[in-house]
Amino acid sequence: MARHEPASPVVRQIDQQFLICSICLDRYCNPKVLPCLHTFCERWDLPNPPRARLHPPKPHPCLHTFSLPSCPSVPSFVCPSHPVPTPQYSTTQPPCLSICPSLPLLSACTPALLSVLLPPLPLFLIALAVHPAAPHPTVTVCSPLVHPSTWQVMEFYCEPCETAMCRECTEGERREHRDHRTVPLRDVLEQHKAALQHQLDAVRARLPQLAAAVGLVAEISRQLGQRRAEAEAEIGSSFEELEAALRQRREVLLHDLEATCAAKQQVLEAQLEVLRQGQESILSSCAFTEQALHHGSATEVLLVQKQMGERLRELAARPFPEHPHENAQLEFHAEPEGLRRSIQNLGALLTTSATAHTTVATGEGLRQAVVGQPCSLSVTTKDKDGALVRSGGARLRFAVTGPDGAAAETEVQDNRNGTYELVYTPRAEGDFVLSILLYGQPVRGSPFRARALRPSDVPPSPEEAKRRVKSPGGGHVRQKALRRPASMYGSAKRKENPIEDELIFRVGSRGREKGEFTNLQGISTSSAGRIVVADSNNQCVQVFSNEGQFRLRFGVRGRSPGQLQRPTGVSVDTNGDIIVADYDNRWVSVFSPEGKFKTKLGAGRLMGPKGVAVDRNGHIIVVDNKACCVFIFQPNGKLVARFGSRGTAERQFAGPHFVAVNNKNEIVVTDFHNHSVKVYNAEGEFLFKFGSHGEGNGQFNAPTGVAVDSNGNIIVADWGNSRIQVFDSAGSFLSYINTAADPLYGPQGLALTSDGHVVVADSGNHCFKAYRYLQ
């Protein structure tokens, strides 16, 4: 927001002397200027001027009132230059106050009128407005500026005070500006005019930009309304189609119902017909036979017996369909609950708050590429206030033009978290132009220029050199992190107040005594308010309070159980036992809270244990840096699971370092050479990963330490970039911890204390630091 600047003395003087009406003592409202240089508001040019805001005139000994009988439309005025009325001024047309331009101006009264009654416009040319009926409506008069106290013309300018003044102010008795540098007013005039003109030109030059911005915003507003109408039409069309499909399905079901019921009825009716016919035959035969038996003669009985006997035997043996040939089941089963949930979740409005002018692109691909090889860069979208956008789906267009004008192959990968990976493959060497448009507008810095080189011309990068050496603590060759003056997000100038940079305290320096370290690696904390540090090259473990006070040191160099050869990772279980990963001894040792050795595990299985953590089931999770895998042990040493191998796939690692467990019992592993963080469930099934190689937000240059807060946010130490980044539980970048007060140099292990601070093992500076962390 622009800061309001107070008005200068010159501006205040202009406001008070030139812009205030002497009659109503308000700013001029459509001012009128008489030939005698009186200036007043137009509303006073009436036979009966309003009195509501009329103030008494300024008292002065030489004020004299004149009437203007020849101009009844103008009220009486006072002239301060004539203390005694004379016949000359009692005529019907006093030349001083006449508004008729045909009469001469009274020069004797001009200076006083300028300064007392009606102050004129600034001391430049003044356009005088006269009576509308006059033959010459305007006349130009050059008016001097008069000091209101000394009645002298102000012809000098005081530079320190930025005000006009008269000679009395410099040479007279008052001499208000006697010690100030003064110059002739006419010399300053042109300078001020030029300065004002320059400012005017600068302001006016912004008009085309504002006009273009107005047009752009208005066009976006119009497009937004158009998109709304289109989306509304699409919603209506989609649901109309669904309604039509539902109606069609209803008709089909009703038709099928009718057909099925008719088929079943036909079978049952046929069966009923057969059964009824058999029933009638039996009844009629039985009735006839009974009649003959009871009422017939012997001859008739014998005759009936012969005829009806065969009939009755046939009826008795005839098979009838006594069992139903169909069933009455006819039900409608739709399972509407699933459909109802689908309908409730049907459709989504895709939009973001991302703006192009705040969105940034980062990555090596903006500067250099290799011919024939895919080159990537990252785009992080932000809203108008610079806040990160957490959703994907933005309309991002990426175009790459080669030196011959041909377009290169491009690909845009939406990470669905507000970041995008852009990939292009140059086919020829030379300069390429990279255009990144967000919603049709160029992102910050676009277009970019990158040079594509042949593979043989590309010098070996520091990262390639780092890949040739072993990871920190993983062998006898020590890595060197890039020493930076500060975090890339902090100021290069070291600040005096460390609290401004979130640093709370720093403990340690290079050495072998208590509270001193040599290449410290892992760091952990306990609910009892302890900070445990693996002092790698000193072959020991040191324990401190949450305030950084030394408490305990244990460990003896050696390769026997209970001894330490190169401690790297460290963790504390729920019982307070201290679990130490020993890289060179290739096992994990367990010590009591007092530092007494209890047991070891993983011997014969581990090749180079680095990070260690304890999950919610009490299982000990070990990252094997050399074998590029993760082991899960029971506290008694029994192997529960193992996953991972060397590579770049989802379940593969390249020099994994440290591990943490979140509140869902998920395993978070930093993949050092793959420049990413990978998340697995408790059984080792891959869930997701985040991060890529680079220096931008959410990118890594070899991540090391990792911790998870109570909200599931993931805190990662970025070894090569010497910084600490914070991500949400889904891997979206949130913020960073400012370390500019005391820059990190190759941070390793990282943990959260019981009082909510972040502690990090600053390996290159041989100390650990605590930073304020707001969840």
Side-chain angles (χ1 to χ4, degrees):
M1 179 180 294
R3 188 165 59 94
H4 177 71
E5 298 289 347
S8 68
V10 173
V11 174
R12 289 195 298 268
Q13 184 179 8
I14 291 174
D15 186 66
Q16 296 171 3
Q17 294 190 8
F18 304 145
L19 304 181
I20 302 299
C21 175
S22 296
I23 298 178
C24 60
L25 298 183
D26 265 344
R27 285 179 176 266
Y28 284 123
C29 178
N30 195 11
K32 295 293 184 180
V33 184
L34 294 178
C36 58
L37 301 186
H38 291 87
T39 309
F40 57 92
C41 296
E42 181 183 28
R43 63 184 178 218
W44 300 103
D45 189 9
L46 299 171
N48 298 307
R51 299 292 179 179
R53 298 181 60 89
L54 186 60
H55 297 271
K58 186 185 297 184
H60 196 276
C62 66
L63 293 181
H64 188 75
T65 303
F66 293 93
S67 60
L68 304 177
S70 61
C71 301
S73 62
V74 180
S76 297
F77 290 93
V78 289
C79 180
S81 301
H82 304 88
V84 181
T86 64
Q88 178 184 1
Y89 299 109
S90 62
T91 61
T92 58
Q93 292 183 344
C96 173
L97 297 176
S98 174
I99 62 173
C100 179
S102 61
L103 296 179
L105 295 176
L106 182 61
S107 59
C109 68
T110 299
L113 289 171
L114 288 171
S115 59
V116 178
L117 267 184
L118 305 168
L121 295 175
L123 56 150
F124 317 123
L125 297 181
I126 302 176
L128 302 179
V130 298
H131 197 278
H136 306 287
T138 58
V139 63
T140 301
V141 177
C142 184
S143 169
L145 184 65
V146 179
H147 195 285
S149 301
T150 64
W151 307 97
Q152 293 187 11
V153 176
M154 293 190 286
E155 52 184 337
F156 296 97
Y157 181 79
C158 178
E159 292 184 342
C161 299
E162 297 184 352
T163 185
M165 59 186 180
C166 63
R167 186 176 298 276
E168 179 70 19
C169 296
T170 60
E171 300 177 354
E173 297 179 357
R174 297 169 57 92
R175 301 183 64 186
E176 298 176 2
H177 305 273
R178 60 183 178 275
D179 297 328
H180 297 172
R181 182 175 181 270
T182 60
V183 294
L185 188 60
R186 59 179 176 273
D187 296 342
V188 180
L189 175 60
E190 292 301 326
Q191 299 178 8
H192 282 224
K193 288 175 64 177
L196 284 174
Q197 185 64 44
H198 177 72
Q199 295 174 354
L200 176 63
D201 295 341
V203 172
R204 194 182 300 278
R206 298 199 62 187
L207 289 177
Q209 302 175 5
L210 292 177
V214 168
L216 178 60
V217 175
E219 176 62 18
I220 294 176
S221 178
R222 185 195 66 79
Q223 292 179 4
L224 180 61
Q226 182 179 350
R227 300 289 187 275
R228 177 189 178 279
E230 292 174 355
E232 185 176 0
E234 291 175 0
I235 292 173
S237 175
S238 298
F239 278 85
E240 287 174 2
E241 291 177 1
L242 290 175
E243 292 172 2
L246 287 174
R247 287 193 297 268
Q248 182 180 2
R249 181 59 181 166
R250 177 177 177 272
E251 295 298 327
V252 170
L253 289 173
L254 291 176
H255 180 270
D256 291 345
L257 175 64
E258 188 66 26
T260 303
C261 182
K264 283 178 171 286
Q265 288 287 10
Q266 185 177 1
V267 172
L268 294 175
E269 290 293 337
Q271 183 181 10
L272 282 174
E273 182 65 23
V274 173
L275 292 174
R276 289 190 179 109
Q277 289 178 0
Q279 185 181 30
E280 290 295 330
S281 298
I282 292 175
L283 289 175
S284 61
S285 297
C286 290
F288 181 79
T289 303
E290 289 176 353
Q291 183 70 19
L293 289 175
H294 290 94
H295 303 287
S297 61
T299 303
E300 292 175 343
V301 170
L302 292 174
L303 182 62
V304 169
Q305 192 275 337
K306 183 178 181 180
Q307 294 178 350
M308 297 303 297
E310 295 179 1
R311 173 74 172 171
L312 291 176
R313 283 193 298 273
E314 188 271 332
L315 289 174
R318 181 187 298 179
F320 290 103
E322 299 176 4
H323 300 287
H325 288 180
E326 264 294 354
N327 57 66
Q329 183 183 12
L330 194 59
E331 301 172 355
F332 174 66
H333 183 62
E335 297 184 356
E337 187 59 33
L339 179 61
R340 185 178 297 111
R341 286 197 299 268
S342 298
I343 292 176
Q344 289 173 350
N345 297 323
L346 179 64
L349 296 177
L350 298 180
T351 186
T352 72
S353 58
T355 56
H357 71 282
T358 56
T359 294
V360 296
T362 57
E364 184 65 23
L366 293 176
R367 297 177 291 274
Q368 181 175 296
V370 180
V371 175
Q373 297 182 12
C375 188
S376 66
L377 55 127
S378 297
V379 172
T380 302
T381 55
K382 300 181 180 182
D383 64 13
K384 63 180 180 61
D385 299 320
L388 296 173
V389 175
R390 305 293 175 79
S391 59
R395 294 181 180 177
L396 194 67
R397 192 174 69 184
F398 180 40
V400 178
T401 306
D404 56 353
E409 300 177 14
T410 61
E411 181 184 359
V412 178
Q413 300 175 1
D414 189 348
N415 296 327
R416 299 297 176 185
N417 59 2
T419 63
Y420 303 81
E421 293 294 324
L422 310 185
V423 181
Y424 69 98
T425 304
R427 295 301 178 188
E429 61 179 319
D431 292 334
F432 283 73
V433 177
L434 284 60
S435 174
I436 306 175
L437 300 181
L438 180 65
Y439 298 111
Q441 299 297 314
V443 303
R444 184 190 301 176
S446 178
F448 304 92
R449 294 189 177 275
R451 176 172 289 275
L453 305 175
R454 291 178 299 180
S456 59
D457 296 336
V458 178
S461 65
E463 182 57 31
E464 292 175 350
K466 284 188 286 184
R467 287 180 180 271
R468 299 193 185 103
V469 300
K470 298 180 180 180
S471 60
H476 298 286
V477 182
R478 291 184 57 194
Q479 275 183 324
K480 292 294 183 180
L482 175 63
R483 181 178 291 274
R484 298 171 180 267
S487 167
M488 65 175 292
Y489 302 101
S491 170
K493 182 179 179 181
R494 184 165 176 171
K495 298 184 179 179
E496 297 298 330
N497 185 0
I499 296 179
E500 295 178 0
D501 293 88
E502 302 168 6
L503 177 66
I504 301 175
F505 61 80
R506 162 183 173 153
V507 174
S509 59
R510 188 184 183 95
R512 305 189 66 86
E513 302 299 324
K514 295 178 180 179
E516 296 179 339
F517 308 97
T518 306
N519 188 29
L520 69 167
Q521 293 283 307
I523 190 168
S524 184
T525 60
S526 72
S527 58
R530 307 176 92 192
I531 300 174
V532 184
V533 182
D535 191 358
S536 185
N537 287 10
N538 286 334
Q539 292 89 24
C540 68
V541 173
Q542 301 194 50
V543 182
F544 301 82
S545 69
N546 276 354
E547 293 74 31
Q549 300 297 321
F550 177 82
R551 290 288 183 264
L552 173 69
R553 171 175 170 167
F554 64 88
V556 177
R557 180 179 181 179
R559 296 186 178 275
S560 300
Q563 295 180 327
L564 299 174
Q565 188 64 24
R566 188 177 294 276
T568 50
V570 64
S571 185
V572 181
D573 66 12
T574 55
N575 298 322
D577 289 342
I578 300 172
I579 303 165
V580 182
D582 194 332
Y583 192 95
D584 283 358
N585 279 332
R586 301 185 180 182
W587 63 54
V588 173
S589 299
V590 181
F591 298 85
S592 70
E594 295 76 27
K596 302 298 182 181
F597 175 73
K598 298 178 69 174
T599 185
K600 69 174 183 178
L601 53 91
R605 297 182 182 273
L606 301 172
M607 296 180 62
K610 176 74 173 180
V612 63
V614 180
D615 71 5
R616 300 172 72 88
N617 299 322
H619 294 157
I620 298 173
I621 303 172
V622 183
V623 173
D624 195 325
N625 174 268
K626 186 176 291 186
C628 293
C629 64
V630 176
F631 289 87
I632 303 177
F633 295 97
Q634 290 183 356
N636 59 9
K638 181 178 180 181
L639 180 64
V640 176
R642 168 184 172 168
F643 63 91
S645 60
R646 185 178 300 276
T648 59
E650 294 175 346
R651 285 173 57 87
Q652 292 182 321
F653 304 98
H657 267 49
F658 290 94
V659 62
V661 179
N662 64 15
N663 50 17
K664 298 180 182 178
N665 214 33
E666 295 170 345
I667 301 170
V668 185
V669 183
T670 53
D671 197 352
F672 188 85
H673 289 301
N674 284 331
H675 310 287
S676 62
V677 176
K678 297 178 179 178
V679 182
Y680 304 84
N681 65 14
E683 290 73 38
E685 295 298 325
F686 176 81
L687 298 178
F688 65 92
K689 71 175 182 177
F690 59 92
S692 61
H693 187 207
E695 298 179 353
N697 292 344
Q699 293 184 311
F700 301 110
N701 185 8
T704 47
V706 62
V708 183
D709 67 17
S710 59
N711 297 322
N713 297 323
I714 303 171
I715 311 164
V716 184
D718 192 355
W719 181 82
N721 288 324
S722 293
R723 63 182 180 181
I724 302 172
Q725 300 189 73
V726 184
F727 302 81
D728 67 13
S729 58
S732 297
F733 174 80
L734 293 179
S735 61
Y736 59 90
I737 294 178
N738 195 346
T739 61
D742 192 356
L744 298 172
Y745 181 27
Q748 287 283 345
L750 183 144
L752 276 168
T753 65
S754 57
D755 52 1
H757 301 318
V758 170
V759 288
V760 58
D762 192 354
S763 178
N765 288 318
H766 306 286
C767 66
F768 74 88
K769 299 171 181 176
Y771 292 95
R772 184 173 292 102
Y773 174 69
L774 300 178
Q775 300 188 28

